[in-house]
Amino acid sequence: MEQGAYRGFAVEAIAETLWPTRCALCDRPGKVLCDDCARTLDFIDYWQACPRCGAPWGRIQCDHCATDALLHDLTPRLCLGALRYTDRTATLIKTFKDKGEQRLAANLAALVARCAPPSWPVWAQCVTFVTATKSARRRRGFDHMELVANELSRIWGVPCERLLAPPRAKDQRALGRLGRLSNMGDRFRVDGTPAAHRAIVIDDVLTTGATMDDACRALEAAGCACRSLVVARV
Ligand SMILES: [Zn+2]
Ligand SMILES: [Zn+2]
């Protein structure tokens, strides 16, 4: 083992002794997400979900895109989600992006990969992601969805491309539904002309659909068709 690699290994071993890896959900030592918790996440049942917008119970009649004219407009593309947005799901995502447990990126990528139909990775020419605002990136020290997109790219063998520049408007988290909708529009910009013509766009949580819609609109205007996947659906 080279000296540098050995030192890295030793630092990791010491860190693991002082702060053992614990499950983000049940605190059991061992893995960032233990097998029991990974098995019992709040999965969206594909057969019960809306085939268009991914709403958890919308297979026959979707409350989100059938009755909500605004959302109907906002989600003209296919969007599927892996988990229902419950307290446990929120904890998982928070531990990843706000507490900096970057190793969860691999778990979240496996979740979104699992909810996509097998034809999607064949259709896609690249995986891309909804970029974080500059301030969120500065606060966290990383662009959380970029990490998930890189992992998804590895799982599927489809290249990962950063196509979207960071959004211009402020962070959506402090805003209510109406605030989010009025905060939308033209927030994303595509840098240059994407080489890919078909992209799978990923994000962590889909609430109103406004952010994803903005991102996809910008990509489509640049000649790139989109399908989207999210870790969680409100
Ligand atoms: Zn656990
Ligand atoms: Zn729907």
Side-chain angles (χ1 to χ4, degrees):
M1 199 182 283
E2 278 179 34
Q3 205 184 353
Y6 177 75
R7 198 175 298 136
F9 177 75
V11 167
E12 227 169 78
I14 292 166
E16 193 55 41
T17 312
L18 294 175
W19 308 281
T21 299
R22 289 180 177 277
C23 172
L25 296 180
C26 72
D27 214 33
R28 191 184 299 173
K31 293 182 175 178
V32 281
L33 181 65
C34 78
D35 294 343
D36 282 346
C37 289
R39 253 196 313 274
T40 54
L41 291 171
D42 297 305
F43 294 106
I44 292 176
D45 180 350
Y46 180 77
W47 298 106
Q48 309 255 23
C50 172
R52 207 163 65 99
C53 77
W57 312 111
R59 169 67 58 172
I60 294 168
Q61 190 182 0
C62 177
D63 285 349
H64 287 256
C65 65
T67 58
D68 189 330
L70 195 51
L71 192 68
H72 194 278
D73 255 14
L74 290 178
T75 50
R77 312 158 194 88
L78 295 170
C79 175
L80 299 175
L83 304 177
R84 285 178 282 121
Y85 192 72
T86 58
D87 288 349
R88 293 180 85 221
T89 303
T91 303
L92 186 65
I93 294 173
K94 217 180 185 152
T95 307
F96 168 54
K97 67 179 199 183
D98 292 328
K99 293 192 185 162
E101 182 43 274
Q102 298 183 31
R103 290 173 294 177
L104 279 170
N107 302 76
L108 301 184
L111 285 169
V112 291
R114 180 181 177 276
C115 79
S119 60
W120 283 32
V122 180
W123 173 86
Q125 292 175 327
C126 81
V127 169
T128 193
F129 52 94
V130 172
T131 39
T133 58
K134 277 188 183 153
S135 66
R137 193 191 164 106
R138 212 174 305 122
R139 189 175 63 236
R140 297 184 185 120
F142 59 99
D143 191 331
H144 63 293
M145 289 317 291
E146 182 170 21
L147 302 186
V148 181
N150 279 327
E151 293 291 340
L152 184 61
S153 157
R154 257 192 285 280
I155 295 172
W156 278 347
V158 171
C160 174
E161 311 268 357
R162 165 189 273 273
L163 298 178
L164 296 159
R168 278 188 288 259
K170 47 195 166 181
D171 208 319
Q172 292 277 72
R173 291 184 307 174
L175 303 171
R177 182 182 161 78
L178 283 176
R180 285 184 184 212
L181 291 174
S182 66
N183 197 32
M184 60 173 276
D186 288 345
R187 268 176 305 162
F188 290 97
R189 188 171 44 77
V190 174
D191 285 328
T193 310
H197 298 295
R198 297 188 299 271
I200 291 188
V201 189
I202 64 166
D203 200 4
D204 52 357
V205 182
L206 188 130
T207 308
T208 61
T211 302
M212 184 58 90
D213 183 67
D214 261 5
C216 291
R217 259 175 223 265
L219 287 164
E220 284 162 358
C224 188
C226 302
R227 290 179 186 175
S228 49
L229 290 172
V230 292
V231 176
R233 270 293 314 234
V234 172

